[in-house]
Amino acid sequence: MARAFAAAALLLVLQQGVECVPASQCVSEVLQLRVGDQAPLHCNSYCPGAGGGTTTSGKELSFVWSRVDPETNHRVALDATGPKLSGVGLSCKNAGQYFCQCVPGGDECSYNVTFIPEIKFRSSPETVRFGSTFDLECVVQGYPSNRSMIRDQGGVPLPQQQGFQQSVYMTKNYARVTASTEGHMEYSCDAEVYYQDTDLSTAQNLSVKIYRPPTIIYTTEFLVRSGADYGKDARLTCIVEGSRENGFHVVWSWKGKDLGNGTKYEMQSESDDDQSPSSDQDRDVVKFYLTVKELKETDLGAYECRLSSDYAQESSQPAYINFMDVKPMRGIVDAGE
């Protein structure tokens, strides 16, 4: 009799389309996203009568979604009725705790959405003149709120400057630095973020180009003792100190016209590191020569040594070919024989 009653009850359940509700299938999940991720949330809420599916009796099931806003800590309803919630990863402002529930009668599931920190680290200006100051800016976006710190190449934290900002989703940190080394100065921005037992910390490095403009140390003067020196070659020298990495070069000119190698003029250069007045080993000393061939009286006067580089405006100094009784204008004298 008991078996017959149980069989009849089971037949009634199947005819009415009603199923026994199993234990909750919801497990609180922590999702680690990056800004721009297209990973949607899928509701795992069990719907009685659907056999764990998304339809029952040929009708779509309805789902209720809500979210706790981290900025206000208020729970708000979302405009979504399906089992999938899209667009969550498009912005870190979508972070927080989400809830979904199949209606009617489903259990409520929750999801904790976090965002791995995204760092934007830059120098202003990007290329810095030696001895000047520049600003480092580090912007970290992510969730939960994070602590950012700018460090020098030795790992020492740099003092924060005015303008520091922090919100639930973003930290903006500034540091001001003096360019004390020619070449490159290395920095890092560290974002320390922890969520429950999960370490989301990350860091980004930045290399700042530091340049020191080359300079003309001095130019030579060629003295003509008498008309007997005419017909001989006269050589002028322009000596430059700077880093070859910055790409500098010299152009000679006469009466506003740039000169080139030919039958009248010859230009050469050579390194002379022993002559450097600087103790900086990264600075090169280069001698640039201009030879005026078969000197004539009309060749006397001021020649211009014009220096330019990738990171500096042009500068120039004159180099003279004069009679000996004219007082030297500048630099070292190369006397004619």
Side-chain angles (χ1 to χ4, degrees), residues 25-31 42 44 110-113 195:
Q25 296 182 3
C26 289
V27 177
S28 180
E29 297 184 35
V30 177
L31 302 179
H42 294 273
N44 292 327
S110 67
Y111 307 87
N112 293 299
V113 176
Y195 185 80

Side-chain angles (χ1 to χ4, degrees), residues 9 167 246:
S167 68
N246 292 335

Side-chain angles (χ1 to χ4, degrees), residues 122-125 128 133-137 161 174-177 206:
R122 68 184 187 93
S123 167
S124 179
V128 184
T133 59
F134 60 98
D135 293 321
L136 298 173
E137 179 189 77
Q161 297 296 309
Y174 299 92
R176 178 158 293 177
V177 186
L206 177 67

